[in-house]
Amino acid sequence: MHTPNRVRHFALSSAAALATVLILAACAGGTSAGWTYAPLGPTPAPTESAAPSPGESPAGSPSASGGAGVTVDILTSADDPLAFQPAEFSVPAGASVTVNYTNESNLPHDVQTFDGPDSSSNVLGATEIITGPGAQSSMTFTAPTDPGTYFFWCSVHQQAMTGTYTVQ
């Protein structure tokens, strides 16, 4: 059976138009994939700061905004993709706390800290949601001034990924 040229031309034009629409829809999505690419290579070691000027606080000492600065490194490994390592850490009361989070798993995660024993408390800080391997995100928050045990979690996997931090 012979297909008329007009029918064949219509079928090819329709197929080309559909392919164009599908490609544009795939490429022009309105939302970000949520990925963050970490820089390659080692992170430079911190350097010692010079002696403080008169009237200035030495590095690591309490300042007007609270306690000393503390850095906490948290990891999610590819071998244990639904866990924080460590799931517990301690900080001084009122300290400025920087959390450096590395996600080595292929699942999206973040770290959210709270000013109470569970997620019904106020959020003090949160990293970006990142998908590894090798993805990194940091955040800084001020630790509560009252000693006690406080909550953190992954907002994506709220039941599976939780931890606590102790304010001393």
Side-chain angles (χ1 to χ4, degrees):
M1 176 172 189
H2 177 62
T3 306
N5 283 340
R6 193 170 39 199
V7 172
R8 191 176 327 161
H9 178 71
F10 176 76
L12 288 175
S13 296
S14 297
L18 179 60
T20 301
V21 168
L22 291 175
I23 290 170
L24 289 175
C27 293
T31 59
S32 163
W35 302 338
T36 302
Y37 293 96
L40 298 177
T43 303
T47 58
E48 286 294 319
S49 60
S53 302
E56 190 178 331
S57 296
S61 69
S63 65
S65 63
V70 176
T71 300
V72 177
D73 295 317
I74 298 177
L75 169 76
T76 297
S77 69
D79 295 337
D80 198 0
L82 290 174
F84 290 122
Q85 299 170 13
E88 299 175 354
F89 61 90
S90 296
V91 298
S96 174
V97 181
T98 298
V99 174
N100 295 322
Y101 177 58
T102 302
N103 183 2
E104 293 293 348
S105 81
N106 61 358
L107 299 174
H109 298 301
D110 67 346
V111 177
Q112 270 190 354
T113 56
F114 296 86
D115 72 352
D118 57 39
S119 63
S120 67
S121 306
N122 292 326
V123 174
L124 293 177
T127 64
E128 293 179 47
I129 296 173
I130 53 174
T131 303
Q136 298 177 331
S137 184
S138 295
M139 59 107 162
T140 301
F141 69 97
T142 301
T145 55
D146 294 331
T149 301
Y150 296 83
F151 184 71
F152 70 94
W153 74 358
C154 168
S155 69
V156 180
H157 303 99
Q158 299 171 357
Q159 300 302 315
M161 293 182 71
T162 63
T164 59
Y165 66 100
T166 303
V167 172
Q168 301 173 331

